[in-house]
Amino acid sequence: MKLFERLTRRAQENRRRLVLPESLEPRTLQAANRIIELAVADVIFVGNKEEVLRRAFELGLPLIEKASFVDSQDAAFTEPYAELFRKLREKKGVTIEQAREQVKDPLYLGCLMIKNGDADAMVAGALSPTSHVLRAAFQVLKTKPGISVVSGAFIMLLPENCPYGDANMLVFADCAVVPDPTAEELAQIAVSTAQTTRDIAGLEPRIAMCSFSTKGSATHERVDKVIRATELAREMAPDLQIDGELQSDAAIVPHVGEMKAPGSKVAGHANTLVFPSLETGNIAYKLVQRISGAGAVGPVLQGLAAPVNDLSRGATVDDIVNTIIVTCNQAIH
């Protein structure tokens, strides 16, 4: 079964409540109409119901009326969320008056609904900059226990004849968020990516901590960082199959892995590649995507206490539908 067939079926069988704060954005409305048609999620729009339905009618999207609606400008509705935000941010000096203003922002209201247990996940970014989406998520939802860093993974859907990865998939991280992670942050990224590999790609993770060195073939402080990150990741999650430092060919090519890292259970068979910096991860996924014609699903934000995913402002309707499906699967776990 193809990735999105499997993820769609799982989401249909485990319906989650999804907040869409950009309720008047045409691509988002079109994607939501399809999500409702597929019965993938219970959609909650943040916006004035009459305005949203009017826009949906103009676009010929009749299923939008089956969604739920909450209005960030309705003070009676938002007051409990304002109080929640005040409590969450009181150490930062936020007053109730400031909180009341903040919850008028649909991004913040969506995250507060998740925090309060009134929704399960959120997708935004078709209109909003990534920084705005992440700021709301950081301030309200924060990160998972034991994790202090949010990162972004891509699931690479490889050509059918590609001999690498599992089920024609590799998972790459971090390709989207942290420019130059410390060893501690890199270890957390590895553990978070393992969960994405398991929960979204449906693979048992075999994680390669990538470098320009394999098992001491080069010495440099950047190599030391990857070695230390590997040690820390093993301490955080002793059950994970993880090895490093490994060059990318030693990570995925069996005979190279056997030659450069004999005895490693990961070398030559990795399905999850953790890169030492954002530039290497971003360059790698784009090169693989363009040269091989691979699909790139993501970025899947990982590390947050609840699922929030950010869209490119150039996202297509299909991109938004796929992101929603992935996000709903994250929420199941």
Side-chain angles (χ1 to χ4, degrees), residues 153-192:
F154 277 87
I155 300 168
M156 307 304 297
L157 306 180
L158 306 172
E160 291 292 333
N161 60 351
C162 181
Y164 307 120
D166 288 341
N168 297 115
M169 286 184 283
L170 285 168
V171 181
F172 289 2
D174 173 21
C175 306
V177 182
V178 188
D180 190 15
T182 64
E184 290 75 14
E185 289 171 335
L186 196 59
Q188 294 176 29
I189 290 169
V191 173
S192 294

Side-chain angles (χ1 to χ4, degrees), residues 16-314:
R16 291 297 184 263
R17 299 162 298 172
L18 175 82
V19 179
L20 295 176
E22 296 165 327
S23 56
L24 297 177
E25 201 283 314
R27 292 164 297 163
T28 300
L29 284 166
Q30 292 173 56
N33 196 76
R34 196 182 305 174
I35 289 297
I36 294 168
E37 182 179 22
L38 292 170
V40 164
D42 296 325
V43 174
I44 305 169
F45 284 110
V46 181
N48 179 273
K49 182 176 181 179
E50 291 183 2
E51 291 182 9
V52 177
L53 290 178
R54 188 181 306 117
R55 179 67 62 88
F57 178 78
E58 293 170 355
L59 295 169
L61 304 172
L63 297 181
I64 296 301
E65 66 180 6
K66 295 186 177 182
S68 299
F69 300 85
V70 299
D71 193 342
S72 62
Q73 305 304 308
D74 181 349
F77 174 78
T78 61
E79 183 63 20
Y81 298 108
E83 179 59 27
L84 174 58
F85 187 71
R86 185 198 64 78
K87 289 180 180 179
L88 291 171
R89 304 292 291 172
E90 61 184 349
K91 291 183 179 179
K92 299 293 184 180
V94 172
T95 66
I96 188 60
E97 290 77 14
Q98 292 170 326
R100 286 169 179 151
E101 283 301 309
Q102 196 66 72
V103 298
K104 293 178 182 178
D105 183 331
L107 295 174
Y108 277 83
L109 182 57
C111 288
L112 286 160
M113 290 180 68
I114 296 170
K115 184 73 172 179
N116 204 48
D118 301 322
D120 301 303
M122 185 174 85
V123 171
L127 287 176
S128 307
T130 295
S131 59
H132 292 188
V133 177
L134 290 180
R135 187 179 301 115
F138 285 145
Q139 290 187 4
V140 175
L141 299 171
K142 306 187 187 304
T143 52
K144 294 179 179 178
I147 301 293
S148 64
V149 63
V150 173
S151 54
F154 277 87
I155 300 168
M156 307 304 297
L157 306 180
L158 306 172
E160 291 292 333
N161 60 351
C162 181
Y164 307 120
D166 288 341
N168 297 115
M169 286 184 283
L170 285 168
V171 181
F172 289 2
D174 173 21
C175 306
V177 182
V178 188
D180 190 15
T182 64
E184 290 75 14
E185 289 171 335
L186 196 59
Q188 294 176 29
I189 290 169
V191 173
S192 294
T193 308
Q195 185 171 0
T196 297
T197 299
R198 186 177 286 123
D199 294 347
I200 306 303
L203 306 175
E204 186 57 31
R206 293 189 298 276
I207 304 166
M209 304 294 283
C210 292
S211 177
F212 60 85
S213 169
T214 297
K215 299 299 183 180
S217 65
T219 56
H220 191 275
E221 61 184 14
R222 290 187 174 273
V223 176
D224 295 339
K225 180 178 81 168
V226 175
I227 294 171
R228 177 61 178 154
T230 305
E231 295 170 352
L232 292 171
R234 286 172 173 161
E235 292 173 7
M236 290 178 65
D239 59 319
L240 285 182
Q241 294 186 65
I242 183 168
D243 203 2
E245 84 285 15
L246 296 172
Q247 291 163 289
S248 55
D249 58 348
I252 63 172
V253 183
H255 76 271
V256 177
E258 177 61 30
M259 177 178 62
K260 292 187 174 184
S264 171
K265 294 181 180 180
V266 172
H269 305 284
N271 56 26
T272 305
L273 306 186
V274 175
F275 296 94
S277 68
L278 179 57
E279 61 187 350
T280 53
N282 192 273
I283 290 167
Y285 104 78
K286 288 182 181 292
L287 281 175
V288 171
Q289 180 185 32
R290 298 302 177 182
I291 292 175
S292 74
V297 178
V300 179
L301 292 183
Q302 45 190 31
L304 287 167
V308 172
N309 274 310
D310 176 54
L311 299 164
S312 164
R313 279 178 280 178

